[in-house]
C-alpha cells in the first residue's frame, strides 16, 4: 500500500473512531465505513454492504453504492447454508468468498438479482462481537469475478473491526436508553403507587432522623410529611414510643433481617394499631455511603384487629345472649373431664330446653322470643357458680356444666336434682314482652360425668336424651339419662337414615286391600304403604310411620302412595274393570292434613294422571277432628268442593264429639278392627259395633268394617246392616300387579254369578 493510500486510510480511521466516540448515528458511521473501504481498496468497481443480524434475519444498514432494488429484494433474508455469501457467512460464522457469483452454488436463488445489479463477486465476512456473538456481515461486491488478495483481506478485517466497534457501541447506547426509559417508567410507577397506597413508607437513618416519607395517609402521621423530614423520632414521640422505634431500627441494622411486628401509636386520627415491616436499606444516599438507613412500612390494621376480636367473640360466644356457645362448651367440657379423671370426683351436665317456646315465636315473632332468651340468660347467670359454665347451644337450648356435684354418683344425683330445682325456680316469675307476660317452663336432662362416662359427645347426647325423656313426662321436670331410651333414639335415628336411602332407591310402594259390599261387589280399595327393604324384606307401616312423621318424611311417603294409586286407577280404567263409583282410599297424616299445601299437592298429582278427585278417598283419623272444629270443617269443605271424598278411619277409638259429626263433610266411617275382633262376644264389642252402624245410618253415612277375618264376623255385620267390609276374609293387601290380577278375576266371578 503506497504512502497516499496509507495516509488516506489513517484519515478514515480517525474520522470513523471520532464519530463512534461522539455517538454519531450508527447508520451515518456505517455509511462512512463503506465509503472509506471503497476508496481504499484497489478496485474502482468495489461496493461495500454492511448488514446487521436480528434474530435469524439480515437487514441492510449501509450500502451507499449498491442499487436500491437489490437492497430491498434481499433485505430481511433468513440466514442459512446456501443463502448467498452474507447469509451463509452469518450462518457458518466464517468468511465466505464467492469469486464468481454466476457459478457459485451458494447464489443459486439470488444469482439473477446480483446480475441485474451488476454484481459478479462477493466476499462476505461475519462481524463478531467481543463476546463472540454474530452482529452481522461485512461484504465487498465487484463488477466482475474476482479473487481477494492477502492485502484485500487484511483491509477488510481492518474495517470489519471498526464496524464491530460501531455496532457494539450502538447496542450499548440502545441498552442504556432502554434502561433509562425503564428506570423513568419505574420511577413514575413508584410515584403513582405511593400516591394511592394506604400504607406509609418511611425512610429513617440509623440515628432516627426522617429522610423521606411516601404515601398519602397523612392522618396516620403525627406531623405533616414536610414537617417530619429532617426531624428525629426522639423529638416527635413520647419517650416510650421513641425508644421502641429506635430499638427496631438498631435490631434491623444489626441483624440485617426484616422485622415484622405490631404496635400502637397516637397519631393525627387517634390511637392506631399498626403492622410494621422494617428492612435495612444500604447506599440510600450515594454521596454518604457510610450512613445506613431503614425502610419502615406502616400499615393501619386497627379495623382488622377489631374484626379479629369480633370474630373471636362470635366463634366462642353466642351473639344474642353473650353466653359461651357450643364450641366453648366443648372445650370446657373436655377440660372438665380431664380434671374429673384426675380427682375421681363426679360432675354433671344439665341440658335445658324450653317447653312450647315455639308458641312465643309463632304468635309474637322471633324478636319477642329473643327478648325472653336474653332475660333467661341473665336469670340463669345469677343462680350458677362462677366455676360453672352456662352456654347457649341452640334456639332455646341451654347447657349448664358443673365440674363438681359430689364425691360419688349417689351424692351427685341428689345434688344435681337440687341444682335443677333451683334452675327451674327462675321460671316462677313471668317473662314480660312489651305489655304481655308469659309463663315459661323448661325440661332438664341430666347426665353425670365420671370415669365411666367421660366421652364429650356421649355426655351431650345422653343429656339430650334425658331432656327428651323429661319432655315426655309433660315438661317442667327433670330426668336423668336412661340407657334404654338412648338405645331407642339411636335406633330411630338409624331408621331415619335408612328411610332417606330407601326413598331415593324407590323401596316404598303401595299395597292394596279391596273393599267389597255385603253382596260381594268390589267397591273400592285401601292403599297401604309398604317398605320393600333389600335385606329385611317387607316392613309394615307401624314400624316406620311414626319415625317418618317425626323426621318430616311423611309427605314424601304419601306422595309415593298417591302416585301408586293413580297408576293403579289408570290401569283398571284401561282394562274397563271399574266404573265411576270405584275409589281408592289413602291415609292422610295429621301433619299433612294441617298443611296449607295439601289441596295443591293432591290436585297437582291427580292432574298429572288425569284422575278424577272423586276416585280418591281421603282417610283421616277421628282424633284429627277434635281440634279447631271450624278450621277443620273449612279445610275439609275446600277439598270436598274439589271432588274428594272423606272417610273417618279407626272410628270409635278417638275422642271426637259425636254431636259435631254431622257438621263434617264425611261420607264414610270405618269401624276399627279392635271392635270387629270382639263382635262375637255378644257383649261390649257387639254393642259398640251396633251403635256405630246405627249412628252411620242415622247420619246417612256409609259404614265400613275393617279387619274382617271370618264368616261369623261377616254374618253379624250383615245382620247389623254394615255397608262394606275389608279384611283377610276377602283378601290380604297386595302389590299393584297382584291386585290387578285379583280384581280382574273377582270381576269375572261377579259377572258369571249374575
Amino acid at each position: 500500500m503506497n504512502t497516499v493510500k496509507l495516509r488516506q486510510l489513517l484519515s478514515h480511521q480517525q474520522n470513523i473512531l471520532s464519530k463512534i466516540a461522539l455517538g454519531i448515528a450508527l447508520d451515518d458511521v456505517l455509511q462512512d465505513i463503506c465509503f472509506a473501504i471503497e476508496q481504499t481498496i484497489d478496485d474502482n468497481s468495489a461496493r461495500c454492504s454492511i448488514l446487521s443480524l436480528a434474530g435469524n434475519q439480515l437487514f441492510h444498514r449501509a450500502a451507499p453504492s449498491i442499487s436500491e432494488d437489490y437492497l430491498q429484494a434481499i433485505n430481511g433474508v433468513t440466514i442459512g447454508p446456501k443463502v448467498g455469501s452474507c447469509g451463509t457467512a452469518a450462518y457458518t460464522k466464517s468468511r465466505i468468498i464467492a469469486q464468481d457469483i454466476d457459478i457459485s452454488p451458494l447464489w443459486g436463488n439470488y444469482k439473477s438479482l446480483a446480475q441485474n445489479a451488476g454484481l459478479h463477486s462477493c466476499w462476505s465476512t461475519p462481524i463478531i462481537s467481543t463476546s463472540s456473538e454474530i452482529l452481522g456481515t461485512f461484504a465487498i461486491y465487484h463488477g466482475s469475478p474476482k479473487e481477494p488478495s492477502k492485502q484485500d483481506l487484511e483491509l477488510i478485517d481492518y474495517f470489519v473491526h471498526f464496524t464491530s466497534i460501531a455496532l457494539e457501541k450502538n447496542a450499548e447506547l440502545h441498552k442504556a436508553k432502554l434502561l433509562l426509559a425503564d428506570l423513568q417508567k419505574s420511577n413514575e410507577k413508584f410515584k403513582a403507587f405511593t400516591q394511592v397506597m394506604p400504607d406509609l413508607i418511611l425512610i429513617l437513618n440509623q440515628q432516627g432522623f426522617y429522610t423521606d416519607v411516601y404515601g398519602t395517609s397523612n392522618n396516620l402521621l403525627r406531623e405533616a410529611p414536610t414537617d417530619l423530614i429532617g426531624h428525629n423520632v426522639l423529638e416527635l414521640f413520647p419517650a416510650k414510643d421513641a425508644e421502641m422505634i429506635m430499638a427496631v431500627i438498631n435490631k434491623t441494622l444489626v441483624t440485617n433481617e426484616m422485622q415484622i411486628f405490631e404496635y400502637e401509636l397516637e397519631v393525627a386520627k387517634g390511637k392506631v394499631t399498626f403492622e410494621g415491616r422494617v428492612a435495612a436499606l444500604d447506599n440510600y444516599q450515594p454521596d454518604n455511603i457510610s450512613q445506613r438507613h431503614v425502610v419502615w412500612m406502616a400499615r393501619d390494621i386497627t379495623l382488622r384487629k377489631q374484626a379479629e376480636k369480633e370474630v373471636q367473640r362470635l366463634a366462642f360466644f353466642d351473639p344474642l345472649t353473650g353466653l359461651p356457645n357450643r364450641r366453648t362448651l366443648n372445650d370446657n367440657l373436655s377440660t372438665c373431664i380431664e380434671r374429673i379423671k384426675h380427682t375421681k370426683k363426679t360432675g354433671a351436665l344439665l341440658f335445658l330446653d324450653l317447653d312450647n317456646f315455639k308458641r312465643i315465636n309463632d304468635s309474637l315473632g322471633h324478636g319477642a322470643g329473643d327478648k325472653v332468651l336474653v332475660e333467661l340468660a341473665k336469670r340463669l347467670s345469677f343462680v350458677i357458680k362462677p366455676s360453672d359454665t352456662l352456654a347457649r347451644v341452640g334456639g332455646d337450648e341451654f347447657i349448664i356444666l358443673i365440674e363438681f356435684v359430689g364425691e360419688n354418683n349417689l351424692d351427685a344425683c341428689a345434688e344435681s336434682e337440687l341444682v335443677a330445682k333451683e334452675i327451674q325456680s327462675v321460671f316462677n316469675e313471668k317473662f314480660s314482652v312489651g305489655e304481655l307476660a308469659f309463663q315459661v317452663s323448661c325440661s332438664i336432662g341430666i347426665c353425670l360425668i365420671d370415669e365411666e362416662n367421660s366421652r364429650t359427645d356421649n355426655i351431650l347426647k345422653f343429656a339430650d336424651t334425658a331432656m327428651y325423656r323429661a319432655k315426655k313426662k309433660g315438661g317442667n321436670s327433670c330426668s336423668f339419662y336412661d340407657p334404654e331410651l338412648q338405645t331407642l333414639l339411636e335406633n330411630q335415628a338409624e331408621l331415619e337414615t335408612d328411610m332417606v336411602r330407601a326413598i331415593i332407591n324407590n323401596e316404598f310402594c303401595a299395597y292394596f286391600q279391596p273393599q267389597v259390599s255385603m253382596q260381594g261387589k268390589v267397591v273400592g280399595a285401601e292403599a297401604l304403604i309398604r317398605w320393600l327393604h333389600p335385606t329385611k324384606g317387607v316392613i309394615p307401616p307401624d314400624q316406620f310411620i311414626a319415625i317418618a312423621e317425626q323426621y318430616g318424611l311423611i309427605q314424601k311417603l304419601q306422595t309415593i302412595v298417591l302416585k301408586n294409586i293413580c297408576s293403579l286407577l289408570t290401569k283398571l280404567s284401561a282394562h274397563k274393570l271399574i266404573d265411576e263409583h270405584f275409589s281408592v282410599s289413602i291415609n292422610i297424616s295429621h301433619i299433612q292434613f294441617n298443611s296449607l299445601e295439601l289441596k295443591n299437592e293432591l290436585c297437582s298429582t291427580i292432574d298429572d294422571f288425569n284422575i278424577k278427585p272423586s276416585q280418591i278417598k281421603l282417610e283421616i283419623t277421628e282424633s284429627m277432628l277434635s281440634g279447631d272444629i271450624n278450621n277443620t270443617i273449612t279445610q275439609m269443605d275446600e277439598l270436598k268442593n274439589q271432588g274428594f271424598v272423606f272417610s273417618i278411619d279407626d272410628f270409635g277409638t278417638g275422642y271426637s264429639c259425636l254431636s259435631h259429626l254431622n257438621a263434617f263433610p264425611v261420607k264414610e266411617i270405618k269401624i276399627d278392627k279392635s271392635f270387629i275382633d270382639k263382635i262375637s262376644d255378644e257383649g261390649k264389642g257387639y254393642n259398640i259395633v251396633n251403635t256405630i252402624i246405627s249412628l252411620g245410618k242415622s247420619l246417612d253415612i256409609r259404614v265400613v268394617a275393617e279387619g274382617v277375618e271370618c264368616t261369623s264376623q261377616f254374618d253379624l255385620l250383615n245382620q247389623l246392616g254394615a255397608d262394606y267390609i275389608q279384611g283377610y276374609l276377602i283378601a290380604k293387601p297386595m302389590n299393584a300387579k297382584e291386585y290387578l290380577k285379583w280384581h280382574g278375576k273377582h270381576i269375572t266371578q261377579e259377572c258369571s254369578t249374575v
Side-chain angles (χ1 to χ4, degrees), residues 246-294:
M246 290 305 302
V248 172
I249 292 173
N250 292 334
K251 184 176 181 180
T252 303
L253 294 176
V254 169
T255 63
N256 208 34
E257 295 177 353
M258 184 170 67
Q259 310 297 314
I260 302 176
F261 56 98
E262 294 178 4
Y263 62 100
E264 288 185 347
L265 284 180
E266 193 75 36
V267 295
K269 69 180 292 187
K271 196 169 188 178
V272 173
T273 302
F274 289 97
E275 179 187 84
R277 292 173 180 257
V278 184
L281 187 64
D282 293 328
N283 302 320
Y284 183 71
Q285 293 176 322
D287 56 341
N288 188 7
I289 297 176
S290 61
Q291 181 65 271
R292 301 189 70 193
H293 294 76
V294 296

Side-chain angles (χ1 to χ4, degrees), residues 507-525:
E507 294 176 13
F508 289 97
C509 69
Y511 271 41
F512 300 91
Q513 187 172 38
Q515 296 174 347
V516 300
S517 69
M518 306 309 288
Q519 293 75 37
K521 177 180 173 61
V522 182
V523 295

Side-chain angles (χ1 to χ4, degrees), residues 159 577 604 617 629:
F159 280 97
L577 295 176
S604 174
K617 192 182 298 177
I629 293 176

Side-chain angles (χ1 to χ4, degrees), residues 182-357:
D182 287 343
L183 193 60
Q184 288 175 336
K185 287 180 181 177
S186 296
N187 192 41
E188 291 300 320
K189 288 179 182 178
F190 179 72
K191 287 181 180 178
F193 289 156
T194 57
Q195 286 175 354
V196 299
M197 68 181 181
D199 303 331
L200 285 171
I201 302 296
L202 311 169
I203 309 297
L204 299 98
N205 67 15
Q206 62 194 62
Q207 288 80 33
F209 285 94
Y210 286 92
T211 304
D212 277 311
V213 178
Y214 300 98
T216 56
S217 300
N218 293 348
N219 61 346
L220 298 179
L221 297 167
R222 290 182 66 88
E223 307 288 342
T226 52
D227 295 334
L228 277 179
I229 295 174
H231 289 273
N232 195 288
V233 296
L234 297 172
E235 306 170 25
L236 301 171
F237 292 97
K240 183 180 179 182
D241 294 336
E243 289 172 5
M244 179 274 294
I245 295 171
M246 290 305 302
V248 172
I249 292 173
N250 292 334
K251 184 176 181 180
T252 303
L253 294 176
V254 169
T255 63
N256 208 34
E257 295 177 353
M258 184 170 67
Q259 310 297 314
I260 302 176
F261 56 98
E262 294 178 4
Y263 62 100
E264 288 185 347
L265 284 180
E266 193 75 36
V267 295
K269 69 180 292 187
K271 196 169 188 178
V272 173
T273 302
F274 289 97
E275 179 187 84
R277 292 173 180 257
V278 184
L281 187 64
D282 293 328
N283 302 320
Y284 183 71
Q285 293 176 322
D287 56 341
N288 188 7
I289 297 176
S290 61
Q291 181 65 271
R292 301 189 70 193
H293 294 76
V294 296
V295 56
W296 185 307
M297 187 279 288
R299 173 170 294 175
D300 181 0
I301 60 170
T302 306
L303 292 178
R304 191 186 83 191
K305 297 302 288 185
Q306 292 172 351
E308 287 175 357
K309 289 180 181 178
E310 181 63 13
V311 168
Q312 180 79 355
R313 188 183 71 82
L314 293 175
F316 292 96
F317 294 89
D318 171 46
L320 177 64
T321 62
L323 296 177
N325 60 12
R326 185 179 290 273
R327 183 176 181 178
T328 305
L329 172 71
N330 285 336
D331 291 343
N332 292 358
L333 179 56
S334 297
T335 303
C336 174
I337 289 171
E338 291 306 314
R339 289 200 187 108
I340 287 173
K341 287 179 180 178
H342 179 71
T343 61
K344 312 297 183 185
K345 295 180 180 179
T346 303
L349 186 138
L350 284 69
F351 198 118
L352 284 66
D353 186 274
L354 301 190
D355 299 325
N356 300 315
F357 183 70

Side-chain angles (χ1 to χ4, degrees), residues 432-443:
S432 298
V433 178
E435 297 180 356
L436 300 175
F438 294 91
Q439 189 66 59
V440 182
S441 63
C442 79
S443 299

